[in-house]
């Protein structure tokens, strides 16, 4: 059964080759910030800073200031590619966990050998092996592409809801999760439920049916974060923010 934990070996190889060209060492947090921080929230923050006579923040600095902290515990879903994000985030937090269904023991060892406060596991995002109320933040970038491994849109959508339930369970009260699912460009904006590439068929939609809402945890706050992606134009990118009320 496919899951959100990470890529298959073939997918991982392809992504690693692309990352070698696009995302050099030392840029993990910066690259992820492009998908976890919207233009609107960064602009709002910097407008407030300007009014206080403070220097504006970069997207990466905003991510670090808003979500990280020496007492924070975070989770990265879909850890791979050498755990670049985990390793770069770890100096800013108390502890980083990572989980992937496509990571090898060798890769886990390499990450943990250079990151003392990191713990990486092979596992499934729909059955997270962590206690309730553990994480201050949960981040995931470009993981919805793996939904296409499911047999049907309905099966993938059901799995998506299970992942949301698990994320909510493991978030601390006041915790936040951001899932960066798919690029909704004209090429990828798919309406055919049988086409699951890049979250096709509105797999990642937050317009839940009545039946789906009945499966969501009571009190959960889910927002669609529409944004203008640097390559694809206005409102071409969408992330999902999940908040557990304090």
């Amino acid at each position: 059964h496919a899951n959100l934990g990470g890529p298959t070996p073939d997918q991982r190889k392809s992504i690693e080759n692309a990352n070698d060209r696009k995302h050099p060492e030392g840029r993990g947090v910066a690259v992820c910030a492009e998908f976890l921080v919207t233009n609107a929230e960064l602009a709002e923050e910097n407008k407030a800073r300007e009014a206080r006579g403070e220097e504006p923040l970069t997207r990466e600095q905003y991510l670090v200031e808003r979500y990280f902290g020496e007492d924070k515990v975070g989770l990265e879903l879909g850890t791979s590619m050498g755990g670049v994000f985990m390793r770069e985030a770890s100096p800013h937090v108390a502890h980083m966990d990572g989980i992937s269904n496509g990571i090898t023991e060798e890769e886990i060892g390499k990450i943990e050998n250079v990151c003392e406060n990191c713990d990486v596991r092979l596992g499934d995002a729909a059955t997270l092996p962590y206690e309730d109320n553990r994480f201050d933040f949960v981040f995931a970038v470009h993981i919805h592409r793996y939904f296409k491994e499911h047999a049907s849109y309905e099966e993938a959508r059901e799995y998506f809801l299970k992942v949301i339930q698990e994320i909510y369970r493991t978030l601390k009260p006041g915790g936040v999760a951001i899932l960066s699912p798919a690029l909704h460009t004209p090429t990828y904006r798919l309406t055919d439920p049988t086409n699951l590439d890049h979250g096709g068929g509105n797999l990642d939609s937050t317009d839940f049916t009545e039946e789906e809402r009945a499966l969501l945890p009571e009190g959960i706050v889910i927002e669609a974060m529409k944004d203008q992606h640097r390559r694809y134009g206005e409102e071409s990118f969408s992330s999902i923010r999940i908040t557990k009320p304090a």
Side-chain angles (χ1 to χ4, degrees):
H1 191 73
N3 64 59
L4 262 176
T8 64
D10 287 344
Q11 288 170 330
R12 185 170 64 249
K13 176 78 172 172
S14 174
I15 298 169
E16 283 174 348
N17 290 339
N19 280 353
D20 286 342
R21 298 189 299 272
K22 297 178 182 178
H23 306 330
E25 186 75 12
R27 290 280 294 161
V29 171
V31 169
C32 288
E34 293 180 6
F35 301 98
L36 299 173
V37 177
T38 67
N39 292 329
E41 61 183 330
L42 181 62
E44 182 179 357
E45 170 64 22
N46 282 335
K47 183 178 180 180
R49 294 180 67 87
E50 182 181 12
R52 298 192 298 265
E54 299 173 358
E55 291 294 316
L57 298 177
T58 65
R59 201 173 297 266
E60 178 181 6
Q61 289 169 334
Y62 177 84
L63 183 72
V64 171
E65 286 206 6
R66 174 163 183 181
Y67 297 106
F68 296 172
E70 60 182 13
D71 61 339
K72 304 293 186 182
V73 177
L75 171 66
E76 181 187 16
L77 295 180
T79 301
S80 58
M81 275 53 81
V84 175
F85 174 80
M86 286 188 69
R87 288 188 281 115
E88 292 182 18
S90 63
H92 305 285
V93 299
H95 186 83
M96 278 296 304
D97 284 312
I99 189 167
S100 171
N101 78 314
I103 197 165
T104 66
E105 290 295 329
E106 180 181 5
E107 289 173 315
I108 291 175
K110 287 181 178 179
I111 296 171
E112 294 183 346
N113 282 341
V114 296
C115 183
E116 294 183 356
N117 60 336
C118 293
D119 179 66
V120 186
R121 303 189 191 188
L122 181 68
D124 189 330
T127 54
L128 292 175
Y130 306 106
E131 69 271 21
D132 296 356
N133 306 316
R134 174 172 175 80
F135 300 112
D136 295 283
F137 63 87
V138 176
F139 291 155
V141 174
H142 281 347
I143 53 173
H144 280 46
R145 70 185 76 186
Y146 310 123
F147 275 126
K148 65 184 179 182
E149 298 172 34
H150 287 269
S152 68
Y153 167 78
E154 289 76 17
E155 180 184 319
R157 182 69 174 174
E158 179 183 357
Y159 187 83
F160 175 52
L161 292 172
K162 290 179 180 178
V163 172
I164 290 177
Q165 291 168 344
E166 278 294 271
I167 288 173
Y168 189 82
R169 178 184 65 80
T170 56
L171 278 175
K172 292 178 181 178
V176 176
I178 301 178
L179 309 183
S180 172
L183 291 172
H184 297 295
T185 67
T187 303
Y188 294 151
R189 189 180 292 114
L190 308 176
T191 57
D192 180 1
T194 64
N195 192 336
L196 301 178
D197 286 345
H198 299 279
N202 296 321
L203 170 65
D204 55 343
S205 172
T206 55
D207 295 326
F208 299 104
T209 66
E210 186 175 336
E211 291 78 9
E212 289 174 336
R213 286 192 178 279
L215 299 175
L216 295 175
E218 184 177 355
I220 190 171
V221 178
I222 303 180
E223 307 166 81
M225 300 163 62
K226 298 292 183 180
D227 200 14
Q228 179 175 334
H229 191 270
R230 56 191 171 84
R231 280 188 199 167
Y232 299 107
E234 187 174 357
E235 291 195 352
S236 58
F237 184 78
S238 176
S239 293
I240 295 169
R241 179 158 52 206
I242 299 169
T243 305
K244 189 172 189 175

